[in-house]
Amino acid sequence: MQRRVLLGLGAVMVVASCGRIRESRLNPFNWFGRARRREAVPAAPEAPQDPRLLVAEVVSLSVDPYSTGAIVRAKGIPPSQGWWEAELVPRPIDENGVLVYDFRVFPPLIETPAGTPRSREITVAASLSTVALDPVTEIVVQGATNALSSRR
């Protein structure tokens, strides 16, 4: 009898909290939406210089939740084949909760053919913990000619 009462109360509490969880940051489906085009974010003048260049164009962005945070994935297309050592380089989070990543990559050491856009695609990812994600309301990945963003 006591077991049924406890199970019943537990079920009522779970159902009652569903509305609150749906609107909170605890719900992984509520984290980030689809990527949208965004205006470029200028770099701060005191930002450390990275010798790598920005990828020519950012073509996709996704923020995928996992058990202890999220993975930010971006795909970019450089002007030719042979670009290497790509990385999402984070900037400090601004006062509005915007986290900007610069999509940086080294150019080829020798002249290379352009090839097809698909043959030039570069995919990079960065992992963020739940704690690091807490103040973030928007994630932006910056390329040389465009930027994509995903908002909560």
Side-chain angles (χ1 to χ4, degrees):
M1 180 69 173
Q2 286 180 337
R3 182 181 239 170
R4 286 185 185 175
V5 170
L6 289 176
L7 287 174
L9 286 174
V12 168
M13 289 174 61
V14 167
V15 171
S17 67
C18 284
R20 291 189 186 117
I21 291 175
R22 186 178 317 131
E23 302 303 323
S24 78
R25 291 185 179 181
L26 296 175
N27 182 351
F29 296 107
N30 198 25
W31 282 4
F32 291 93
R34 295 175 53 106
R36 295 184 209 120
R37 291 218 174 264
R38 186 185 198 280
E39 63 187 43
V41 179
E46 69 278 353
Q49 294 297 317
D50 188 324
R52 294 174 290 184
L53 303 174
L54 289 171
V55 73
E57 181 183 5
V58 180
V59 293
S60 71
L61 166 65
S62 68
V63 181
D64 303 315
Y66 72 99
S67 61
T68 60
I71 296 175
V72 179
R73 285 189 186 97
K75 189 181 295 184
I77 299 181
S80 64
Q81 295 178 357
W83 292 68
W84 54 286
E85 201 172 315
E87 182 182 10
L88 290 176
V89 179
R91 297 184 194 172
I93 299 171
D94 74 7
E95 65 277 354
N96 298 321
V98 178
L99 173 59
V100 177
Y101 283 101
D102 289 332
F103 192 144
R104 298 264 176 198
V105 62
F106 277 120
L109 299 174
I110 59 172
E111 191 171 325
T112 57
T116 64
R118 184 164 181 131
S119 71
R120 294 178 288 165
E121 287 180 355
I122 298 173
T123 302
V124 292
S127 176
L128 286 169
S129 70
T130 309
V131 173
L133 276 172
D134 192 42
V136 176
T137 59
E138 180 179 15
I139 294 176
V140 178
V141 175
Q142 178 76 44
T145 62
N146 73 326
L148 295 180
S149 71
S150 183
R151 306 189 109 210
R152 281 194 205 235

